Amino acid sequence: MAKKILIISSNHTGHGHKSITESLLENFSLYPDVNVHVIDGFSLIGNMGLRVSKLYGSITRNAKEIWKMIWEISLKRPSIINDFTEVSIRDNFLSLLRSVKPDLILSVHPNFNGSVLNILEEYEIKIPFVTLIADLVSITPLWADPRVDYIVCPTKESKYKCLEFGVPESKLKLIGFPVRQRFLQHLSKNTTKDEYNRNRPLECLIMSGGEGSGNMSTIARILLKNFNCRVKIVTGRNKVLKRRLERTLYERFGTERVEVFGFTDNIQELMLSSDLAITRGSPNVMMEVVACNIPLIVTGNLPGQEEGNPGYLLKHNLGVVCKDTRRLKAIVRELLINNASKLKQIKKSQKKFLNPNVSREIVDFIVSIDGAKDLNIPENISKFWDIGKKISLPERMNIKKRISVRKHRRV
């Protein structure tokens, strides 16, 4: 049984990795003998790493082509990212191991799988390593390193991709996508929400993940002009967008029909009070909306890891897809005709799809793994360079190449 677990996550590359980590911590707390230490993997790189991770929101909002290029590099040459990350985190990661002394490592971010495994292998440190995939369908090879002990897959599609990338099936555990308890608490309550009918306004929620990307203003205007509805908009960390929407929409439609929120900790309350959610194809947002049993309209997705999400949504009838806002009016009308029959059918499909125990099942599985015994972490962490000597990243990469050549010759 693993009793001291190190989770490698990320606080700033979207909100999904952090949300997944929170959902697991809720269930790790049910094991009083288990101690969990969470680290932002980018912090192991130092201030530069944290600054890079905080650029995620700006890039995904304003430079999607750059994001697509990064994704394509991870597909074609994952070793570039692994090697760069390895030499960037090596010293701090080994110091962390000496401090925490974990008997199992769990990674919920792709950038720290191959890199950490490289370090463990190089120093012959035997610690079970588990990866939890935070995407649904379109996954990068960075998630699928065959050297792991186990990979927890959220979907059959992600499992099949891991098999394509060469991971043995015995290492793949298909469990599901973990969701925080706050999005599931309504299931244990006896109160039932009234089904939508034309006698009251349609309650619409527009959001786009933690970074607030997407054409929210256009979507809101289409809804407010064509339907008896109230609209709530969540802009996440995008403060500029929040101010702009407040200025333009409040003036025209009034605060009785429109509310604009920034980043909020009670997003589940906004979801549960809605009849329809319009969002980007972020896996974390999609699964939280489904947990709240709110039909979805997905308006787009990031290139790369979110490309397969709209199709996944349609396959399980969890919502509909509208990538062209000119079709939004017709799509909403189709959901509402015949006493909102299509809207109600989506809600039924979501209930059938949802497994509210995913987080607990993942934690139960992780805890059941035999942890490392007699952990041997070298005191001299500077195996290939002097710890007191400042060495530039290019120099470290050259050292890494020499190490790789040396290992290849031994083989």
Side-chain angles (χ1 to χ4, degrees):
M1 176 179 175
K3 290 190 175 182
K4 201 177 266 190
I5 297 169
L6 172 64
I7 298 180
I8 304 175
S9 185
S10 171
N11 293 330
H12 304 292
T13 52
H15 198 66
H17 304 287
K18 187 175 180 180
S19 297
I20 288 173
T21 302
E22 288 177 6
S23 73
L24 299 179
L25 291 175
E26 291 169 347
N27 288 279
F28 276 123
S29 66
L30 302 175
Y31 287 89
D33 294 336
V34 173
N35 183 274
V36 181
H37 183 94
V38 180
I39 185 75
D40 184 331
F42 289 93
S43 71
L44 295 172
I45 302 174
N47 291 331
M48 182 191 74
L50 290 174
R51 286 198 297 269
V52 169
S53 70
K54 290 176 182 179
L55 289 174
Y56 173 89
S58 178
I59 292 174
T60 55
R61 285 195 303 267
N62 306 312
K64 288 186 173 63
E65 288 304 311
I66 293 178
W67 185 254
K68 185 178 181 180
M69 180 183 69
I70 295 170
W71 166 262
E72 289 175 350
I73 291 172
S74 78
L75 282 181
K76 297 173 183 177
R77 296 290 301 277
S79 61
I80 292 177
I81 296 175
N82 285 336
D83 289 350
F84 179 86
T85 306
E86 176 191 345
V87 298
S88 301
I89 71 172
R90 179 190 294 266
D91 289 353
N92 286 334
F93 176 70
L94 288 169
S95 295
L96 177 68
L97 290 187
R98 292 172 60 205
S99 172
V100 176
K101 294 182 174 61
D103 54 19
L104 184 143
I105 298 172
L106 171 64
S107 171
V108 299
H109 197 288
N111 284 28
F112 304 100
N113 299 326
S115 54
V116 167
L117 286 165
N118 285 350
I119 296 171
L120 295 178
E121 185 178 64
E122 191 66 48
Y123 285 84
E124 300 178 353
I125 301 171
K126 307 297 183 182
I127 304 177
F129 189 96
V130 181
T131 295
L132 170 56
I133 297 176
D135 293 310
L136 295 174
V137 178
S138 307
I139 71 166
T140 165
L142 294 173
W143 282 121
D145 195 306
R147 296 173 295 173
V148 299
D149 290 272
Y150 295 103
I151 297 178
V152 178
C153 303
T155 63
K156 290 180 180 178
E157 290 83 354
S158 63
K159 179 181 177 180
Y160 296 152
K161 289 301 293 184
C162 287
L163 290 171
E164 287 181 24
F165 291 139
V167 181
E169 187 167 10
S170 60
K171 294 186 175 185
L172 302 175
K173 301 297 176 183
L174 177 58
I175 300 178
F177 196 97
V179 173
R180 290 172 288 178
Q181 189 60 36
R182 69 183 73 169
F183 298 93
L184 301 166
Q185 287 177 339
H186 66 99
L187 297 174
S188 60
K189 296 179 180 179
N190 295 325
T191 57
T192 56
K193 182 185 173 183
D194 293 336
E195 293 284 355
Y196 168 74
N197 62 72
R198 293 183 179 276
N199 296 325
R200 65 171 176 82
L202 180 72
E203 299 289 345
C204 301
L205 176 64
I206 304 173
M207 55 186 175
S208 189
E211 303 302 331
S213 59
N215 199 351
M216 295 182 168
S217 178
T218 300
I219 293 169
R221 290 172 186 273
I222 291 171
L223 293 172
L224 291 163
K225 286 179 181 179
N226 295 282
F227 300 96
N228 176 24
C229 67
R230 285 195 290 261
V231 173
K232 300 183 288 288
I233 305 175
V234 180
T235 62
R237 299 183 183 89
N238 195 334
K239 296 178 181 179
V240 174
L241 177 61
K242 180 177 185 293
R243 289 194 296 268
R244 185 169 71 243
L245 291 176
E246 287 173 336
R247 184 177 64 253
T248 58
L249 295 178
Y250 285 175
E251 181 178 338
R252 179 162 185 181
F253 298 102
T255 55
E256 291 185 0
R257 294 194 68 197
V258 186
E259 288 184 88
V260 182
F261 301 84
F263 190 83
T264 175
D265 289 327
N266 70 332
I267 186 67
Q268 73 281 357
E269 295 179 13
L270 298 179
M271 290 181 185
L272 290 168
S273 64
S274 301
D275 300 302
L276 184 64
I278 301 99
T279 180
R280 194 191 84 209
S282 160
N284 189 68
V285 173
M286 284 173 53
M287 292 300 102
E288 289 177 345
V289 172
V290 169
C292 289
N293 196 209
I294 309 301
L296 269 160
I297 297 180
V298 167
T299 57
N301 53 268
L302 284 178
Q305 79 267 29
E306 291 181 1
E307 285 180 357
N309 294 354
Y312 185 82
L313 181 91
L314 294 174
K315 176 181 177 180
H316 295 280
N317 194 34
L318 306 176
V320 295
V321 177
C322 178
K323 293 189 177 182
D324 185 348
T325 54
R326 291 174 295 185
R327 297 192 60 242
L328 181 61
K329 177 181 174 182
I331 286 173
V332 174
R333 278 185 173 167
E334 186 179 350
L335 290 173
L336 300 182
I337 61 173
N338 297 327
N339 196 27
S341 60
K342 190 170 183 179
L343 201 73
K344 293 173 183 176
Q345 185 56 52
I346 290 173
K347 290 175 72 71
K348 289 180 181 178
S349 298
Q350 288 182 343
K351 288 180 180 178
K352 183 178 179 181
F353 173 89
L354 180 67
N355 174 8
N357 300 312
V358 167
S359 292
R360 178 62 189 268
E361 291 174 13
I362 292 173
V363 166
D364 288 348
F365 169 68
I366 291 170
V367 171
S368 72
I369 299 171
D370 289 335
K373 296 178 181 178
D374 301 322
L375 190 61
N376 181 26
I377 303 170
E379 288 294 322
N380 179 17
I381 65 173
S382 54
K383 184 175 181 181
F384 298 105
W385 46 74
D386 293 332
I387 188 171
K389 183 181 177 182
K390 289 286 185 181
I391 300 179
S392 68
L393 200 53
E395 288 176 304
R396 290 188 176 211
M397 291 297 288
N398 287 331
I399 293 172
K400 168 64 182 171
K401 288 178 183 177
R402 293 200 297 272
I403 294 168
S404 298
V405 169
R406 208 177 304 143
K407 288 173 66 178
H408 180 71
R409 286 172 179 167
R410 287 203 300 266
V411 174

